[in-house]
Amino acid sequence: MEQAAEVVEVTAKGWAAMEPTTILSPYAYTLRDVGSEDVLLKVICCGICHSDIHFTKNDIGLTTYPLVPGHEVVGEVVKVGFNVSKFNVGDLVGIGFLCGSCQECYLCKSDREQYCDNRIFTCLGKYPDGKPAHGGFSSAMVLDHRLLARIPKGMKAEQAAPLLCAGVTAYSALINLGLNKPGLRGGILGLGGIGHMGVIIAKAMGHHVTVLSSSDKKKQEALDDLGADVFIVTSDTTQMLESANSLDYILDTLPVVHSLDPHLNLLKADGKLIMLGVINTPLQFLTVPLFTKRISIVGSFMGSTKEMEELLNFFQEKGLASKLEMVKMNELNTAFERLQKNDVRYRFVVDVAGSNPDS
Ligand code: NAP
Ligand code: ZN
Ligand code: ZN
């Protein structure tokens, strides 16, 4: 029998955008009640994804204000609902950009809940009670436990955070598009949050990895620290032409409008251009390389809860680590500014629990 939700008002202290800008300021709000399938989470840390910039600026038209961004959230369970048996108080868990789905459709039943018609997005969505699904730049959240991933024992919270959106987006694309095979030659277009995860994951899958970047600023780090095999500056037309027909796939992570043709030229026959970036302007490309090389242009959207747990365990077992920079909550605006200027190696993670909630 369903037990009524226990009504205990919890106030969360977060940082919110009040209008379409990237400026956030302290914002207190009441959380929804902890329902039978929910847990109350004390947020420990939260990564800053480029999508948070798109959301605060309302780039895709889905934002309502105030908006508390943040969807690479790691926290500690402090209370569990009546039907929750998977998690206990004290467990470390994570949530990405999906905080609700119907749990009943064929997509939810086959671990593809991120494509469910009745999904709720962290930061952008609303719960059935009308309360906004505010994100992780906040002291606390109430979350449906069925979308939570267990953080493996011994993994640091800040290391887990970037896996929950950036990491699983790269991982899910490679897994579901038939690219989890050693020996493939992959390209990573844009060496940011998703891009650096893409390099680490593709190398761990045994791929030969080419980074395609807008400048040579990240070249040495990409080759020496991340283990990429080749680094190409995309404006170097000679190198781009010399590398024609050499790649099985490209993970395209660019968040800005760009020409697809030079990248289609890099793909072999049957290659895949995998579009991951949010671009709110139509893109153009020539059709000829598509049919003469049977190339697919395809998209992929974050990853399922199962894939998040798989990836967390994959990192733990293989001893992999993302490259990140920790910031406090009151440094969020500087971090947002720096992320827009492509000035981060390679993910900011906000130390939510270690920040003063009132400033
Ligand atoms: P990010 O950390 O900002 O990385 C983007 C990279 O693109 C930069 O590091 C930069 O790499 C390159 N770039 C080239 N021109 C740029 C410009 N004008 N402004 C900014 N970057 C530029 O972003 P991210 O968090 O990886 O996210 C990338 C995109 O994927 C965003 O649009 C985000 O919203 C989207 N996203 C999609 C999914 C999904 O499920 N499909 C999930 C998460 C995020 P170089 O220095 O190497 O040129
Ligand atoms: Zn994201
Ligand atoms: Zn569903």
Side-chain angles (χ1 to χ4, degrees):
M1 202 172 74
E2 279 283 300
Q3 178 162 302
E6 189 188 341
V7 182
V8 181
E9 274 204 356
V10 177
T11 301
K13 292 184 173 183
W15 280 60
M18 301 295 174
E19 56 181 4
T21 69
T22 53
I23 308 290
L24 308 181
S25 47
Y27 172 64
Y29 53 99
T30 307
L31 292 177
R32 67 194 180 90
D33 304 329
V34 178
S36 56
E37 302 289 353
D38 297 328
V39 307
L40 174 63
L41 199 70
K42 175 191 176 207
V43 178
I44 307 289
C45 64
C46 182
I48 309 181
C49 176
H50 203 108
S51 299
D52 292 316
I53 307 264
H54 296 304
F55 302 154
T56 55
K57 293 199 294 191
N58 198 16
D59 277 350
I60 48 175
L62 293 176
T63 304
T64 48
Y65 298 92
L67 166 94
V68 178
H71 58 272
E72 289 181 343
V73 191
V74 177
E76 185 187 327
V77 174
V78 293
K79 184 175 183 175
V80 295
F82 181 69
N83 284 344
V84 179
S85 55
K86 183 178 171 189
F87 298 110
N88 294 307
V89 169
D91 285 351
L92 205 59
V93 297
I95 192 112
F97 183 49
L98 189 74
C99 63
S101 77
C102 83
Q103 301 287 326
E104 284 174 1
C105 72
Y106 74 103
L107 292 161
C108 287
K109 287 200 157 107
S110 56
D111 294 312
R112 290 174 287 168
E113 64 273 11
Q114 72 270 37
Y115 300 106
C116 171
D117 285 343
N118 292 306
R119 58 202 167 176
I120 303 172
F121 294 136
T122 317
C123 316
L124 295 184
K126 268 199 192 340
Y127 287 107
D129 69 356
K131 284 237 163 71
H134 283 320
F137 303 147
S138 172
S139 57
M141 295 168 87
V142 174
L143 292 164
D144 185 331
H145 82 284
R146 295 167 296 192
L147 284 312
L148 291 173
R150 183 181 293 286
I151 309 299
K153 291 236 172 325
M155 182 177 270
K156 287 194 174 133
E158 63 270 24
Q159 272 296 327
L163 303 186
L164 302 169
C165 180
V168 82
T169 298
Y171 178 77
S172 181
L174 295 176
I175 294 279
N176 290 292
L177 295 170
L179 299 166
N180 182 16
K181 291 185 272 202
L184 294 182
R185 299 179 80 90
I188 306 292
L189 177 52
L191 192 59
I194 303 180
H196 101 288
M197 283 287 170
V199 176
I200 295 170
I201 294 165
K203 284 305 298 176
M205 287 177 174
H207 299 181
H208 179 279
V209 175
T210 297
V211 171
L212 302 158
S213 190
S214 57
S215 77
D216 63 5
K217 287 186 198 147
K218 301 171 184 170
K219 180 172 180 176
Q220 233 35 63
E221 296 161 20
L223 298 173
D224 298 346
D225 303 344
L226 298 176
D229 299 287
V230 178
F231 190 97
I232 298 180
V233 178
T234 49
S235 55
D236 181 343
T237 40
T238 310
Q239 222 189 344
M240 288 291 277
L241 289 172
E242 279 169 5
S243 306
N245 308 326
S246 66
L247 301 178
D248 293 295
Y249 67 87
I250 295 173
L251 291 181
D252 182 341
T253 78
L254 298 190
V256 285
V257 72
H258 58 284
S259 169
L260 300 190
D261 297 318
H263 309 299
L264 295 173
N265 193 46
L266 295 176
L267 290 170
K268 292 180 188 170
D270 283 325
K272 292 185 169 72
L273 180 62
I274 306 164
M275 302 304 297
L276 300 175
V278 173
I279 302 166
N280 59 4
T281 311
L283 298 181
Q284 290 188 327
F285 53 86
L286 294 171
T287 57
V288 175
L290 293 193
F291 59 77
T292 56
K293 296 200 278 180
R294 199 164 60 190
I295 285 170
S296 321
I297 300 178
V298 60
S300 190
F301 189 34
M302 48 177 156
S304 64
T305 308
K306 178 172 170 275
E307 287 167 340
M308 282 198 281
E309 291 194 335
E310 267 173 31
L311 181 66
L312 288 158
N313 292 326
F314 182 80
F315 264 62
Q316 176 85 336
E317 280 156 21
K318 292 194 179 284
L320 304 173
S322 49
K323 300 233 172 283
L324 46 91
E325 188 178 332
M326 296 296 289
V327 291
K328 300 285 184 197
M329 290 275 260
N330 62 9
E331 295 169 314
L332 265 170
N333 288 328
T334 315
F336 266 52
E337 209 178 297
R338 284 184 50 201
L339 180 57
Q340 288 176 90
K341 289 186 186 150
N342 193 3
D343 172 25
V344 53
R345 302 290 197 279
Y346 284 88
R347 202 55 146 187
F348 285 117
V349 176
V350 184
D351 176 13
V352 178
S355 298
N356 179 347
D358 297 310
S359 69

